[in-house]
Amino acid sequence: MAADSVIVPVQCEYFALEGVSELLDTLIRIRRSHNARLAVEGILLTMYDDRTNLSRQVRDDLRDFFGDQVFSTVIPRNVRLAEAPSFGKPIFLYDPDCKGATSYLELARRSLNMTRKALGGP
């Protein structure tokens, strides 16, 4: 409730699509009762595997419904991302060069650039 905006991560699986509508209903309730300024900064596709029809279908369905709110940055299904917590390390210490880490870094840079633009900075 204290946030200005949220990023909605969506796993590229069927049941995750079902959960998106529930989450958006929750955000609407929070706006009505506690924080009218709460915005959805964007939808983030996670655990994306371009080799599967399901991932591509979920991506396409979300882009059809949410349009530009779906980030162009996509977090791939990545073994190194899955392994890092079991070694007690964040991905940037465990394997900073893996595809998953570089995708999260791209998302962070994109988010910072959006924030700077919104605040009128360089």
Side-chain angles (χ1 to χ4, degrees):
M1 288 185 278
D4 295 322
S5 65
V6 294
I7 293 174
V8 179
V10 180
Q11 187 177 357
C12 291
E13 302 282 341
Y14 174 75
F15 286 123
L17 278 179
E18 299 292 319
V20 170
S21 62
E22 296 294 324
L23 179 60
L24 294 177
D25 287 342
T26 299
L27 292 172
I28 289 168
R29 285 194 300 274
I30 290 170
R31 281 187 198 128
R32 286 183 185 149
S33 60
H34 300 291
N35 182 354
R37 295 177 294 127
L38 182 62
V40 174
E41 187 171 332
I43 309 294
L44 176 65
L45 302 175
T46 66
M47 299 183 80
Y48 180 78
D49 186 346
D50 195 43
R51 299 171 298 176
T52 67
N53 290 331
L54 179 60
S55 282
R56 291 191 302 268
Q57 184 64 50
V58 169
R59 176 201 61 201
D60 294 346
D61 288 350
L62 287 169
R63 286 185 176 160
D64 286 346
F65 188 80
F66 291 102
D68 290 341
Q69 278 193 290
V70 178
F71 290 143
S72 58
T73 302
V74 173
I75 309 302
R77 184 173 296 275
N78 183 260
V79 172
R80 303 302 276 176
L81 282 174
E83 289 174 347
S86 68
F87 287 90
K89 294 182 179 181
I91 193 60
F92 295 107
L93 293 179
Y94 183 66
D95 188 352
D97 297 321
C98 75
K99 188 156 177 59
T102 58
S103 295
Y104 274 114
L105 190 57
E106 179 184 331
L107 175 68
R109 287 182 177 136
R110 179 191 184 287
S111 185
L112 285 171
N113 286 337
M114 289 176 58
T115 301
R116 285 184 187 129
K117 286 179 186 177
L119 296 173

